[in-house]
Amino acid sequence: MVKRLLFAFGLTAAIVIGCLSNQESVTNSAAQDEFGSIVVSRRALTAHGGRVDWCAANDLIAFDRVTGSDTSEVFVIRPDGSGERCITCNVPDLPQGIRGQPAWHPSGEYLVIQVQGKFYGGSRFEFVSWGIHNDLWLVAANGKWAQRLIETEYLGASLHPHFSDRGDRLFWTVRESTGKKIRQRLFLKTPGKENPWDGWHLAIADFNRDLAGKAKLTNRIDLYRGEGGFFESHALRSGVIWFSHTKSGRPFVDDIYRAQWDGSRRVNITKSPGTWEEHGEPSPRGSLITFNSSRGFDWKHPPDTAKTLRLELWARRMGTGEIFRLTDLNRQQAGRGRVLTSDYAWSPSGREIAVYYATFGPGGVTQKIDILRLDRAY
């Protein structure tokens, strides 16, 4: 949800700075710290961008970027910062406007993305970080074709799609209209006057393409439908789903969970009520679980809100349960504003992580994607 482009509460600022120059895309950083016996160094990849996904098949990083007042596109770039190109800018039959939240198919031949749907009205809750009135599309990595997978109904949402590591299933977040209206604030109108933090659940379906290249989703299962509150899908690895859930429509992202792909054997990973935590997933070798968290800061909901939120990337060792930070951006950016880490992606080797973060400072909002280099594979 602190997603990309930008966070739930940072979308307007993302639009303001989305068209910055990319001239500082591969500047080196000397920042290096040791966290939990892991030595981490950091260098810049691109000066602006959003959700990231790193493909093992082609070693390309996909990310989204705001390109105008009501437009965004999906780009790919090499890990060394070279070869950046837009893959959605000229795709035939792809609707104009908001395009983002890319996730690679393991083949590296195409991605699933979110695209504004027919009910899209332009509110911040309809940007890709929320997914309300977004459809799901497949788009070719070479930009030559696109196909819609999911068409979203009025006041519904499709958010954060992910392929399984075998590429045979798609996992995503769904919203359905609750039919319940809430009081509207002057400068914060919500779609249908509903609580955008309520009405969510998860979905998973078999994915395949026929000999003609036509993709189909079959055997769909809707998970935790009727529980209410906010769900967010994070990963589907080895038959295990990773997601976050906040109960009762409260306006923040609470604990991270894992479960079997059918929703059974659900386990709360973080167990820290009132702490903002999301984007939990295992490292490639499964020895770490990484996630964004507000722990370590004097922040608790309630009473604290997103206006004072700070986030860093954290890790938990699977063997010992030890929890420690992987980034220290708020300290390193001290004096320039508060920092929120958001989407990130592990490299195929497990030695690097591409992490997106935003700095909220007196001069506005700056967005960057950096690559963390770990001293060993995980």
Side-chain angles (χ1 to χ4, degrees):
M1 168 60 53
V2 173
K3 201 195 104 26
R4 231 121 327 311
L5 283 156
L6 226 173
F7 222 11
F9 56 90
L11 301 179
T12 302
I15 289 173
V16 172
I17 57 93
C19 298
L20 293 176
S21 166
N22 194 37
Q23 294 301 309
E24 52 182 308
S25 60
V26 199
T27 56
N28 291 323
S29 171
Q32 181 168 300
D33 290 281
E34 183 170 338
F35 303 116
S37 78
I38 298 176
V39 177
V40 180
S41 57
R42 178 169 56 90
R43 65 175 176 82
L45 179 68
T46 179
H48 54 290
R51 169 176 162 74
V52 290
D53 198 25
W54 201 326
C55 182
N58 55 29
D59 202 26
L60 290 177
I61 298 171
F63 63 96
D64 53 22
R65 174 186 293 157
V66 175
T67 54
S69 61
D70 202 27
T71 60
S72 64
E73 303 287 357
V74 174
F75 297 78
V76 294
I77 193 170
R78 296 189 184 98
D80 63 2
S82 66
E84 180 182 310
R85 60 183 173 88
C86 178
I87 65 171
T88 55
C89 290
N90 298 294
V91 181
D93 304 321
L94 191 65
Q96 299 294 315
I98 299 299
R99 305 157 170 180
Q101 287 273 31
W104 285 103
H105 185 267
S107 68
E109 297 176 357
Y110 46 89
L111 308 93
V112 60
I113 65 172
Q114 292 172 216
V115 179
Q116 68 180 59
K118 64 182 178 181
F119 297 111
Y120 182 84
S123 75
R124 79 179 201 178
F125 299 104
E126 295 166 281
F127 212 70
V128 292
S129 54
W130 279 93
I132 294 177
H133 297 151
N134 284 198
D135 297 338
L136 297 186
W137 285 70
L138 281 187
V139 60
N142 60 14
K144 292 185 176 180
W145 58 264
Q147 177 196 337
R148 183 163 53 197
L149 285 177
I150 297 288
E151 184 173 15
T152 301
E153 299 297 324
Y154 179 60
L155 298 182
S158 297
L159 174 67
H160 250 222
H162 301 273
F163 284 108
S164 64
D165 43 8
R166 294 173 53 186
D168 58 348
R169 289 192 175 111
L170 186 70
F171 175 48
W172 73 102
T173 313
V174 178
R175 185 187 189 272
E176 297 175 325
S177 173
T178 63
K180 302 175 182 178
K181 298 186 183 302
I182 61 172
R183 176 180 292 182
Q184 298 292 286
R185 289 186 282 172
L186 181 60
F187 298 108
L188 192 62
K189 307 295 184 182
T190 64
K193 297 183 178 181
E194 294 188 357
N195 182 357
W197 292 93
D198 202 3
W200 299 82
H201 66 274
L202 303 173
I204 189 169
D206 292 339
F207 171 86
N208 63 78
R209 297 178 73 211
D210 60 25
L211 294 177
K214 185 73 171 179
K216 292 183 180 179
L217 294 177
T218 57
N219 302 319
R220 171 174 167 170
I221 301 175
D222 288 271
L223 307 174
Y224 315 126
R225 190 176 189 177
E227 280 196 22
F230 178 73
F231 281 87
E232 186 177 10
S233 49
H234 298 319
L236 172 54
R237 307 277 180 80
S238 302
V240 175
I241 57 174
W242 298 78
F243 61 94
S244 55
H245 181 217
T246 308
K247 300 177 182 178
S248 306
R250 292 173 292 165
F252 80 114
V253 186
D254 207 353
D255 284 324
I256 294 168
Y257 297 79
R258 72 166 183 255
Q260 295 300 299
W261 68 268
D262 61 0
S264 64
R265 297 171 63 184
R266 178 172 170 179
V267 177
N268 187 330
I269 298 298
T270 49
K271 296 181 181 178
S272 53
T275 303
W276 191 301
E277 287 172 326
E278 61 177 329
H279 299 302
E281 64 177 88
S283 62
R285 298 189 180 187
S287 57
L288 294 180
I289 298 171
T290 43
F291 57 98
N292 289 312
S293 179
S294 63
R295 65 179 62 206
F297 301 108
D298 185 19
W299 192 96
K300 193 82 169 179
H301 181 85
D304 295 315
T305 69
K307 293 181 179 180
T308 58
L309 183 65
R310 298 172 187 264
L311 294 175
E312 298 285 356
L313 184 62
W314 287 69
R316 174 183 173 183
R317 293 190 187 277
M318 290 292 287
T320 65
E322 176 194 9
I323 296 177
F324 53 90
R325 287 182 297 104
L326 281 177
T327 62
D328 196 15
L329 294 165
N330 278 278
R331 180 184 61 82
Q332 293 163 354
Q333 305 265 16
R336 284 177 278 179
R338 59 191 178 91
V339 179
L340 288 81
T341 54
S342 187
D343 280 343
Y344 61 89
W346 280 90
S347 71
S349 69
R351 287 287 301 273
E352 295 173 307
I353 307 173
V355 58
Y356 160 78
Y357 63 96
T359 302
F360 293 76
V365 182
T366 58
Q367 298 168 283
K368 291 185 178 180
I369 298 174
D370 284 0
I371 290 185
L372 309 180
R373 176 73 176 178
L374 312 183
D375 63 345
R376 66 192 77 124
Y378 290 92

